[in-house]
Amino acid sequence: MTEQSIGAGETDLNNDFTDWTKTTDSYQASTSFQNNGVDYGMTSAFPSSDGSHNDPLFKNTISVSGQDHTYSFSKGSSRTSYMVANGRQITMYSATVNYYQRTDSEGNPQIAKVGEADYSGGPRYQVEEILTLKKDGSFVHNIKILNKSEKTVSTNFGWQLDTMLDDVDNVPLYADGNNGIYMNSPDLTLYLTPITNSTVYAGHYSSSSITANTPAEGVAAGTVLVDNVDTAVEYRTPKVDLQSNDTYSFSFKENLILRDIPSESDSTSDSISDSVSDSDSLSDSDSGSTSDSISDSDSISDSDSISDSQPDSDSLSDSDST
């Protein structure tokens, strides 16, 4: 869904957090709930920092009956996931980052961070990331980006997730039939869903960069988008023109659902049951290809070292203009 989300006249996104509690990068948010007699726990922590640079996204884990599951490389870390502007990686500087936490009006824990980011020679941005842990089993991401440069910037933005479902790094990616992506293993089904001002693309990780140009939008449910590679996704905005001190906002979510949950809903979480009833019909037909990918996963792995270079995306010909 696209909505008008360009704001004007902001100078510091930290002003959005006057009713939040300031915290540190060691803070961890958590929640728990039951669905159909199954105990669930969700936790989220701030991403790692090498002392000068701060990774995007968050370290997310969901436990089912006491067993932990993750969906990003490696084991929930986001150290090989990236923020991009027109396909070029932008780096958040640790010295500029502030951390926040609160509980929203519906009782959902939230964590957030605000920091400045750019790529070498590119415009300066301030980035706000808010993560909400909801008791329907979803991690909801709300992103706001402020143009802190003095000139108008013409760009699109992307949040790139290096996917890894538990121990399976080259897990196939499928269209869910609702403009999103799902992936599964013998134990789990994960949905990756754009909410506002974003489209999700399937792709792959290679040599400290992610290329994701296969759209899920308008694709029939169960269609294989990417297979037999170290898979990844990108949530990408349309191209926007941001004047100095303009902001742009977009959102997306991930739902991690265990495939053996009964499809009947209960009073705790109708949306979990709705997602599961859809996922059963999708994942049963695809279990063979998932098993094949697991047997091949040992031969494909992420590089532990992340290059400081900022690669250009071949598919995105536009560059940031300042």
Side-chain angles (χ1 to χ4, degrees):
M1 180 176 67
T2 301
E3 61 181 34
Q4 180 56 256
S5 291
I6 295 180
E10 295 198 54
T11 58
D12 186 356
L13 296 182
N14 288 289
N15 294 332
D16 292 343
F17 296 91
T18 56
D19 59 345
W20 293 57
T21 300
K22 202 167 185 179
T23 188
T24 66
D25 60 358
S26 63
Y27 183 84
Q28 179 173 284
S30 63
T31 190
S32 60
F33 56 95
Q34 278 196 337
N35 183 66
N36 292 312
V38 178
D39 292 320
Y40 288 85
M42 299 172 65
T43 62
S44 185
F46 291 107
S48 60
S49 170
D50 63 5
S52 59
H53 301 142
N54 195 280
D55 294 333
L57 299 170
F58 300 89
K59 299 177 181 178
N60 295 334
T61 303
I62 188 166
S63 66
V64 184
S65 299
Q67 182 177 356
D68 288 346
H69 301 284
T70 57
Y71 57 86
S72 63
F73 185 89
S74 164
K75 297 299 182 67
S77 167
S78 63
R79 61 191 176 90
T80 52
S81 297
Y82 308 107
M83 302 179 291
V84 295
N86 275 342
R88 298 190 65 179
Q89 292 176 19
I90 55 177
T91 301
M92 182 175 286
Y93 298 98
S94 299
T96 69
V97 177
N98 288 309
Y99 301 94
Y100 302 93
Q101 62 88 12
R102 74 170 183 180
T103 301
D104 71 11
S105 60
E106 298 178 354
N108 299 310
Q110 295 180 296
I111 58 175
K113 64 175 183 174
V114 177
E116 294 189 12
D118 64 14
Y119 59 81
S120 179
R124 190 81 162 191
Y125 302 105
Q126 190 179 40
V127 178
E128 166 186 310
E129 294 186 88
I130 299 175
L131 182 73
T132 305
L133 286 69
K134 302 192 71 173
K135 293 187 178 182
D136 64 357
S138 61
F139 297 95
V140 179
H141 304 255
N142 286 275
I143 313 296
K144 183 191 281 189
I145 301 172
L146 168 65
N147 176 17
K148 290 187 71 71
S149 63
E150 296 181 355
K151 297 182 179 180
T152 298
V153 173
S154 181
T155 188
N156 55 27
F157 298 101
W159 257 235
Q160 298 179 329
L161 174 67
D162 182 8
T163 51
M164 181 177 182
L165 195 53
D166 287 339
D167 294 321
V168 183
D169 203 11
N170 60 333
V171 59
L173 302 179
Y174 304 91
D176 69 3
N178 293 303
N179 301 324
I181 290 173
Y182 76 92
M183 56 184 178
N184 55 26
S185 73
D187 298 315
L188 308 169
T189 297
L190 171 70
Y191 292 88
L192 305 103
T193 307
I195 302 175
T196 58
N197 298 325
S198 63
T199 303
V200 65
Y201 294 80
H204 68 278
Y205 175 98
S206 178
S207 301
S208 300
S209 66
I210 289 173
T211 302
N213 293 306
T214 303
E217 188 171 23
V219 180
T223 302
V224 177
L225 298 173
V226 177
D227 197 359
N228 297 318
V229 294
D230 183 352
T231 50
V233 301
E234 179 180 332
Y235 301 97
R236 187 183 304 161
T237 74
K239 193 166 188 176
V240 293
D241 295 324
L242 297 181
Q243 298 180 32
S244 180
N245 294 329
D246 278 358
T247 61
Y248 191 74
S249 301
F250 65 102
S251 60
F252 54 89
K253 67 178 180 178
E254 294 105 20
N255 281 70
L256 192 57
I257 304 298
L258 199 68
R259 286 168 56 192
D260 63 1
I261 299 174
S263 60
E264 293 83 12
S265 66
D266 66 8
S267 59
T268 305
S269 176
D270 291 338
S271 60
I272 283 186
S273 302
D274 292 341
S275 297
V276 172
S277 61
D278 290 338
S279 68
D280 288 343
S281 62
L282 296 173
S283 57
D284 290 345
S285 63
D286 297 319
S287 59
S289 59
T290 303
S291 300
D292 291 341
S293 72
I294 294 173
S295 63
D296 294 334
S297 63
D298 290 341
S299 63
I300 301 178
S301 63
D302 291 280
S303 169
D304 287 340
S305 62
I306 300 177
S307 170
D308 290 332
S309 63
Q310 309 295 337
D312 289 295
S313 170
D314 293 337
S315 64
L316 296 173
S317 59
D318 295 313
S319 61
D320 290 341
S321 59
T322 58

